[in-house]
Amino acid sequence: MVRNSSPCFASATTISRIVRRGELSTLFLKPFSPSSKTSTPLPTPVDKFLKTDRKNAKANNINDALDHFDHMLQMHPPLPMSYFNSLLAAVAKNKHYNHVYSMYGRILDADLEPDFITLNILLNSCCTLQRVSLGFAVLGVIYRKGYRPNIVTFTSLIKGMGLEGKIGEAVQLFKKIIELGCRPNIKTWGILINALCRSGHSEKALDLHRKMGSGTVPSGSKFKTNLVCYSTIIDGLCKEGLMDKAKELFLEMEGQRISPDVVVYSSLIHGLCDAGEWEEAKGFFITMLDRGIRPNVVTFNILINALCKEGKLSEANGLLDLMIQRVENPDVITFNTLMDGLCLEGKVDDARELFVSMAAKGHECNVISYNILINGYFKCRRSDEAMRLYREMVQKGCKPMISTFNSLLTGLFQDGMVEDARKCFADMQVYGITPESSTNNILLSGFCKNDCLIEAMELFHNLEKSGCELQIETFNCILDGLCKGGKLDIAIELFGTLSERGLVPTVVTYSIMIHGFCKAGNLEKASNMFLEMEEKGCAPNLVTFNTLMRGFCISNEADRVIELLQRLAEREFLPDASTLSVVIDLLSKDDRHMKYLNLIPTFPIQA
DNA sequence: GTAGGGTTAG
């Protein structure tokens, strides 16, 4: 890298835009001059702050740190920048990144001269706050002051990009720094692996890991990966359902004489539970215990969750007892998991009881606790109680999240409480929460299902006008509303615009249109759409079959229904209640069709 | 001196 070169990654326009907005204007106010060295001793209160157990630092420590910072700023002669750097580093380690940002401004205000380390700490704080553009602005300052960014600088930028979900850009920057002759180290690799896994590219991370081990990575360096790198990839593979690869990597890790710990075991157990490999998960849990690795609250939570999802509530409670016996205190996640298990079984009152007892035991419930209970009440069609709980959470100062509003809107629309849903949507805006595409979909289908098609169309047009990219699922909502609301012609027109919008209809889209045609009695068009979807490589599912069969059944076209039943049998689809109701209707029209009953492969009805 | 780091709930 060349000293004094212009920043090669931040575009000049990005930086100037930030400066114009005044966000980082303070960064540019002071000209560069070498700092003077003094030998003032480190003030003892700062020393105290630095010595705090950083992991367990209490929140009020930041106030101490800020007090000391004030004190440091007033000292004459001024302290060397390295003292400020130590304090900034400690504040950053305690995750008070916003304070790093404001402290930096005050250093400039005091006419002190930040050095390269100060700027690296600031840049890292910006990146960790997912403000990579600010990070690049700091990079600009680094260059402007004649410093050379180092691997620490670039590692922070790569981290920020990963956090912002810009994985492609992160990989590009990684390649770029190698080209520039900057050698990535194990921390850089760790960050890149983490970013890949977080964005669902665990196999790429695995590939990188293999190349690292063999020294065939672009930088040519050979790294011995560590437990954390292995654990990150194993967890990523588990989350993507690639259990065989995860287990293989686990064995490889042990082959490298890296001992597994509770985290990697927890990841594997979680993956196995999600894959329904309950016995194997249990096996891993037992091996873990045999090897003297203590399960922690996370491990227990994973197991309790798996049991709850299987409806095995008493076993889940048994595990809770075991957990308490082993002096592993349950936390808010344990309680939320159990509450959700109860709600899944329709036992919302028991869940509520647990919720109340939780507070009594000194566990503070959080927004997710409320979300779980609100969902539980709606599921039991107790909308009033759900709404009461919502008001309670607001009153208690627990800020609802987008998911809270999604649940409320879903429940209210489901219960036909359109006016409440409108109010709820307004509330959401008061909280400054921007609707997600899922929120828009809930609103669209909610309005449609409650005979407010015009309101739905208005919303849809506003979304289109706002220029936000609409996904096929959003179109599915409005198409369904149009078809069911007797506006098939508009639906057909809209459906026709999908390809020019770059959207590919899904099996849901086709099923909606087929339903629309059937409803309008246009069975030929419905049938054609069924053929068209297959031609385009979109396989019909049970819903598509049921929809078309019902259409034919209503029009007394028994032969066509039977033909479809035959195809259903060929594809080994399990019939569901809807399929059977079509068959029953068919039989009620003409019991000579009884012989076709054998087309239904297995009679136990699929839920 | 400054960069990481993995597991759980809706």
Side-chain angles (χ1 to χ4, degrees):
Chain A
M1 252 166 294
V2 186
R3 211 178 155 94
N4 275 332
S5 66
S6 62
C8 46
F9 305 111
S11 71
T13 46
T14 305
I15 295 171
S16 74
R17 198 183 59 235
I18 291 159
V19 176
R20 270 205 314 277
R21 284 204 305 253
E23 284 185 84
L24 255 196
S25 52
T26 49
L27 277 174
F28 300 91
L29 291 179
K30 253 179 80 59
F32 173 65
S33 67
S35 59
S36 57
K37 292 259 171 208
T38 53
S39 56
T40 324
L42 189 67
T44 45
V46 175
D47 204 24
K48 205 175 108 199
F49 179 78
L50 297 179
K51 277 186 188 158
T52 52
D53 176 3
R54 287 171 181 178
K55 244 185 159 178
N56 301 312
K58 300 215 169 61
N60 62 356
N61 267 348
I62 183 64
N63 295 325
D64 290 345
L66 293 174
D67 286 347
H68 309 325
F69 182 64
D70 287 341
H71 176 67
M72 284 165 74
L73 282 173
Q74 286 159 13
M75 286 178 80
H76 292 288
L79 285 166
M81 194 45 56
S82 60
Y83 289 67
F84 288 96
N85 291 346
S86 299
L87 184 61
L88 285 173
V91 170
K93 274 274 187 295
N94 283 289
K95 301 189 194 298
H96 296 291
Y97 303 107
N98 274 319
H99 285 291
V100 171
Y101 187 79
S102 56
M103 286 159 88
Y104 177 79
R106 294 189 55 206
I107 288 175
L108 294 184
D109 290 344
D111 267 340
L112 296 171
E113 183 61 46
D115 64 14
F116 177 53
I117 302 296
T118 326
L119 291 166
N120 262 356
I121 297 169
L122 175 68
L123 183 142
N124 182 52
S125 297
C126 294
C127 289
T128 312
L129 288 169
Q130 303 193 36
R131 303 288 303 273
V132 182
S133 57
L134 285 182
F136 276 117
V138 181
L139 180 67
V141 179
I142 288 174
Y143 278 114
R144 203 179 287 207
K145 285 180 174 267
Y147 296 122
R148 239 173 89 172
N150 62 8
I151 189 61
V152 176
T153 324
F154 290 127
T155 302
S156 298
L157 287 167
I158 292 170
K159 176 177 73 176
M161 288 173 164
L163 288 174
E164 283 188 3
K166 294 171 179 163
I167 187 69
E169 288 177 44
V171 173
Q172 243 180 334
L173 178 60
F174 183 80
K175 288 181 179 161
K176 183 97 184 167
I177 65 170
I178 294 168
E179 265 172 46
L180 291 169
C182 196
R183 284 171 80 87
N185 57 28
I186 186 72
K187 292 192 180 184
T188 325
W189 286 107
I191 281 176
L192 195 64
I193 283 176
N194 188 261
L196 285 167
C197 290
R198 281 168 57 110
S199 59
H201 299 91
S202 300
E203 284 185 287
K204 274 193 183 148
L206 181 60
D207 189 44
L208 201 65
H209 157 88
R210 300 241 182 274
K211 286 179 178 159
M212 275 166 75
S214 62
T216 53
V217 285
S219 66
S221 315
K222 196 169 170 176
F223 286 108
K224 204 171 152 44
T225 50
N226 54 21
L227 174 63
V228 174
C229 285
Y230 269 110
S231 180
T232 307
I233 305 173
I234 288 171
D235 185 62
L237 291 168
C238 287
K239 291 215 167 88
E240 289 180 48
L242 303 164
M243 289 316 298
D244 288 337
K245 288 194 174 167
K247 284 185 278 182
E248 199 183 310
L249 196 60
F250 180 74
L251 290 176
E252 179 193 305
M253 182 182 90
E254 293 196 293
Q256 299 281 325
R257 293 203 189 131
I258 297 175
S259 306
D261 67 353
V262 60
V263 176
V264 71
Y265 264 110
S266 299
S267 285
L268 278 167
I269 291 169
H270 187 212
L272 288 166
C273 287
D274 276 356
E277 304 289 347
W278 186 234
E279 282 308 311
E280 210 177 348
K282 225 157 54 181
F284 268 90
F285 184 60
I286 291 165
T287 318
M288 176 181 163
L289 295 174
D290 287 346
R291 294 175 76 169
I293 300 166
R294 274 176 68 99
N296 61 16
V297 59
V298 178
T299 327
F300 279 110
N301 286 347
I302 289 166
L303 290 166
I304 289 173
N305 184 41
L307 288 167
C308 284
K309 294 291 176 290
E310 293 268 307
K312 296 175 177 167
L313 281 174
S314 61
E315 288 185 45
N317 273 314
L319 211 53
L320 176 71
D321 291 338
L322 179 71
M323 183 178 174
I324 296 166
Q325 270 170 35
R326 295 184 71 105
V327 209
E328 199 60 63
N329 277 330
D331 62 7
V332 61
I333 298 182
T334 322
F335 288 108
N336 286 349
T337 306
L338 287 164
M339 271 165 48
D340 192 48
L342 288 165
C343 287
L344 282 174
E345 298 280 300
K347 297 175 175 166
V348 65
D349 291 317
D350 292 343
R352 174 81 196 208
E353 209 174 292
L354 191 61
F355 178 84
V356 173
S357 76
M358 201 174 141
K361 285 177 197 151
H363 293 279
E364 209 176 324
C365 47
N366 60 18
V367 56
I368 296 178
S369 322
Y370 280 104
N371 284 359
I372 290 168
L373 264 189
I374 287 173
N375 272 326
Y377 278 124
F378 276 126
K379 204 171 155 256
C380 299
R381 296 290 174 122
R382 288 158 69 173
S383 310
D384 292 339
E385 278 158 287
M387 288 306 282
R388 208 175 302 145
L389 205 59
Y390 164 65
R391 285 188 288 269
E392 180 191 309
M393 81 183 277
V394 171
Q395 206 181 10
K396 287 196 173 167
C398 180
K399 196 180 169 215
M401 290 168 42
I402 180 90
S403 49
T404 318
F405 288 108
N406 285 349
S407 298
L408 288 169
L409 290 168
T410 307
L412 291 169
F413 277 125
Q414 185 185 285
D415 252 13
M417 298 161 79
V418 182
E419 196 41 46
D420 289 279
R422 287 192 193 103
K423 271 190 214 142
C424 182
F425 185 56
D427 258 19
M428 185 174 156
Q429 276 143 333
V430 170
Y431 277 101
I433 296 173
T434 323
E436 288 176 344
S437 70
S438 57
T439 322
N440 293 328
N441 297 349
I442 294 166
L443 287 166
L444 287 172
S445 56
F447 284 134
C448 289
K449 289 196 174 93
N450 287 281
D451 302 318
C452 306
L453 187 55
I454 293 173
E455 206 168 341
M457 283 306 280
E458 273 171 9
L459 174 64
F460 182 74
H461 285 305
N462 286 336
L463 289 173
E464 271 191 312
K465 269 194 287 183
S466 74
C468 63
E469 249 179 62
L470 299 184
Q471 291 161 347
I472 188 68
E473 290 76 15
T474 306
F475 280 87
N476 290 346
C477 294
I478 199 74
L479 284 171
D480 193 41
L482 288 166
C483 287
K484 288 184 179 147
K487 304 281 178 197
L488 180 63
D489 45 341
I490 304 176
I492 295 169
E493 203 185 317
L494 194 61
F495 180 81
T497 68
L498 289 177
S499 70
E500 68 200 49
R501 294 169 192 260
L503 293 170
V504 182
T506 64
V507 59
V508 177
T509 325
Y510 284 115
S511 302
I512 286 167
M513 293 307 292
I514 289 170
H515 184 254
F517 285 124
C518 288
K519 189 172 181 285
N522 196 336
L523 288 163
E524 278 324 297
K525 284 250 170 72
S527 215
N528 287 343
M529 185 129 283
F530 190 86
L531 294 174
E532 183 189 321
M533 70 186 285
E534 293 216 86
E535 277 166 20
K536 296 205 167 151
C538 179
N541 62 16
L542 190 61
V543 175
T544 331
F545 272 100
N546 288 343
T547 306
L548 192 56
M549 286 194 299
R550 178 155 298 283
F552 281 129
C553 188
I554 290 166
S555 303
N556 296 317
E557 296 203 38
D559 295 346
R560 305 285 297 268
V561 180
I562 289 157
E563 187 196 323
L564 285 165
L565 274 174
Q566 273 161 342
R567 289 170 64 180
L568 203 61
E570 280 160 24
R571 292 178 197 213
E572 294 180 1
F573 274 130
L574 285 175
D576 66 359
S578 173
T579 324
L580 293 177
S581 101
V582 173
V583 173
I584 291 162
D585 281 356
L586 194 69
L587 294 175
S588 69
K589 288 179 186 201
D590 188 340
D591 60 13
R592 280 173 303 171
H593 297 309
M594 196 67 88
K595 60 187 173 191
Y596 295 111
L597 264 185
N598 63 358
L599 288 172
I600 307 290
T602 39
F603 238 97
I605 301 171
Q606 197 190 342

